[in-house]
Amino acid sequence: MIRDARVLHAQFVPDELEHRNAEINTLSNTLKPIMDGHSGNPSLLLGPSGAGKTCIARFTVERLRENVLDINTQYINCWQDYARFQVLYRLLETIGTTVDIHRRSTPTDELLDRLRQYDGPPFVVILDEVDQLEDNGVLYDLYQLPQITMILITNRERDLFTQLDDRLTSRLHPSVRISFEKYHLDELVSILAARARWGLVDDVIESAEFELIADAAAGDARIAIGILRHAARLAEQTDTQRITTDVVQQAIPEGRQDVRQKTIEQLTTHQRVLYDIVHEHGELDPSTLYAAYRDRVDEPKTNRTVRNYLAKMEHYRLIHAEGDNRARTYRPR
DNA sequence: CATCCACGGGAATCAGCGGTAG
DNA sequence: CTACCGCTGATTCCCGTGGATG
């Protein structure tokens, strides 16, 4: 059934893209100065999730790399690498100067110094989910490095700009903005058809099923591809020769929940207990939460550790924290 | 104003892992 | 092969900060 599983993951970047030509062109144009050895302006890709921002960014940069003899590129997902140190570290990794850097002993400023000394080819940096950065200062750091061209991706522009301080806002405001809309139904169908063509055995799914998936995905290509992947797996497991409407129906909930499900699975037992408590209570204050947690586990972690867990879970958007200091409450997402 | 409660940064400590000297 | 060393990530301890409360 499945011929090439890589293709069935949303982060796979195809060799050719059927839609989003306008967006690709705009992005290419802002990157053009690089071809003449200048650094490009930062660009800002905006739009709902699953609208193709990440895919287009990677695609365009890859194509640029084919056209320019020598550039460095790095993709960073700020959801995973949200600290200033982590971002700088990744960049140094690409240019290969991390050898003697030890996470413990090397101060962040030294990483920045090393980046300043960088005098290699143009360096294009994709920062995905920028609004997740805990310290926006790193944007300022990068902005000041002449060889670096930034592509910023976010689905919530407002969140991003309220976090920025003035010097950054004024720097980034003139940057090129490219807005993405949700995919139309027929666009999703053709995206799915392409993935099926590359990733699945021939003739196992028909257009009615594509449309069903596209409809359930509501414009989000990531979800659509997730559903397709689950459906293919289900069909394989149950030894069905085709991806039928039935199979698709079963795959829809999992496909939708995919991202969240994966992060929940990554939680430790202690974190999972906290998650469950919050979701059972609906809304509660820190002390009741901690008390409930103590009751439920054998060897409870300290209050401080629990706070770390909660912070992390909020970061992954599994729970929602509201209010400062004593007004703090936690509730499910 | 003193006290309470929670937050989150930083230092100290612990436990697991891999490499290495003997 | 084993004992030891250094590194790392997780946890805990300690503490300053700040808004709420009485």
Side-chain angles (χ1 to χ4, degrees):
Chain A
M1 170 73 66
I2 296 175
R3 191 191 290 160
D4 184 352
R6 286 175 313 146
V7 177
L8 300 179
H9 281 92
Q11 61 267 35
F12 175 80
V13 180
D15 292 333
E16 54 203 86
L17 292 171
E18 305 165 74
H19 316 284
R20 305 296 190 222
N21 281 325
E23 290 83 355
I24 293 173
N25 285 335
T26 317
L27 185 55
S28 298
N29 283 332
T30 62
L31 295 177
K32 232 172 211 148
I34 294 175
M35 302 182 73
D36 308 322
H38 306 114
S39 73
N41 288 318
S43 33
L44 191 53
L45 310 194
L46 308 160
S49 61
K53 302 182 296 295
T54 306
C55 187
I56 265 66
R58 303 187 86 148
F59 174 82
T60 310
V61 168
E62 195 43 48
R63 222 174 48 172
L64 180 72
R65 195 219 287 275
E66 285 163 14
N67 290 325
V68 182
L69 288 176
D70 195 15
I71 61 170
N72 271 318
T73 65
Q74 174 69 34
Y75 170 85
I76 296 175
N77 189 324
C78 301
W79 205 312
Q80 279 136 31
D81 297 315
Y82 49 85
R84 185 167 168 237
F85 184 98
Q86 293 172 308
V87 171
L88 297 177
Y89 190 87
R90 284 244 175 274
L91 297 183
L92 285 170
E93 237 171 26
T94 325
I95 57 180
T97 45
T98 46
V99 224
D100 57 340
I101 292 179
H102 298 300
R103 284 172 176 272
R104 179 156 277 240
S105 51
T106 313
T108 306
D109 284 334
E110 197 185 321
L111 301 197
L112 188 58
D113 279 343
R114 301 221 186 172
L115 273 177
R116 287 212 186 92
Q117 286 158 23
Y118 170 73
D119 61 350
F123 195 169
V124 182
V125 181
I126 301 174
L127 291 172
D128 207 345
E129 319 260 8
V130 257
D131 51 309
Q132 291 298 317
L133 281 177
E134 69 178 7
D135 176 9
N136 286 310
V138 71
L139 295 180
Y140 191 71
D141 297 339
L142 299 187
Y143 185 84
Q144 296 195 311
L145 297 169
Q147 290 95 337
I148 288 188
T149 304
M150 294 190 281
I151 299 176
L152 309 178
I153 303 179
T154 179
N155 48 20
R156 292 170 306 171
E157 181 183 11
R158 205 164 301 146
D159 287 3
L160 177 64
F161 277 97
T162 51
Q163 287 167 21
L164 297 183
D165 56 25
D166 294 341
R167 55 178 190 174
L168 262 175
T169 313
S170 59
R171 296 270 193 334
L172 293 180
H173 231 265
S175 63
V176 181
R177 285 144 196 266
I178 307 174
S179 293
F180 288 71
E181 303 296 323
K182 282 175 179 294
Y183 282 110
H184 298 302
L185 192 87
D186 52 332
E187 290 173 334
L188 277 185
V189 168
S190 82
I191 289 172
L192 287 168
R195 299 287 173 119
R197 203 159 55 238
W198 302 321
L200 299 180
V201 175
D202 290 339
D203 302 323
V204 290
I205 178 165
E206 284 169 26
S207 64
E209 281 74 40
F210 284 141
E211 278 169 33
L212 180 58
I213 296 175
D215 192 51
D220 186 329
R222 200 162 33 163
I223 293 177
I225 294 168
I227 296 175
L228 179 63
R229 183 177 65 250
H230 272 99
R233 278 219 204 105
L234 268 174
E236 248 179 7
Q237 281 163 16
T238 55
D239 226 15
T240 320
Q241 300 309 310
R242 293 194 55 262
I243 296 179
T244 60
T245 307
D246 259 6
V247 175
V248 172
Q249 293 285 13
Q250 282 182 58
I252 286 173
E254 296 170 59
R256 270 192 192 141
Q257 284 291 316
D258 227 18
V259 183
R260 160 171 290 227
Q261 201 56 47
K262 223 178 272 165
T263 44
I264 291 178
E265 280 163 17
Q266 283 171 5
L267 297 179
T268 66
T269 20
H270 289 266
Q271 293 164 344
R272 184 58 199 262
V273 168
L274 288 165
Y275 175 86
D276 288 342
I277 294 172
V278 172
H279 279 75
E280 285 162 25
H281 276 68
E283 175 160 11
L284 71 175
D285 59 282
S287 47
T288 10
L289 173 56
Y290 187 61
Y293 161 78
R294 286 190 78 112
D295 281 348
R296 210 175 289 195
V297 297
D298 284 338
E299 291 169 21
K301 307 280 182 188
T302 50
N303 199 317
R304 182 68 186 85
T305 305
V306 166
R307 281 208 297 277
N308 279 342
Y309 290 164
L310 291 170
K312 182 174 249 176
M313 284 160 66
E314 199 210 352
H315 179 82
Y316 285 108
R317 290 191 228 184
L318 294 173
I319 60 171
H320 191 81
E322 211 164 6
D324 289 329
N325 301 321
R326 285 182 85 168
R328 182 54 80 94
T329 59
Y330 294 99
R331 60 184 169 76
R333 276 264 166 200

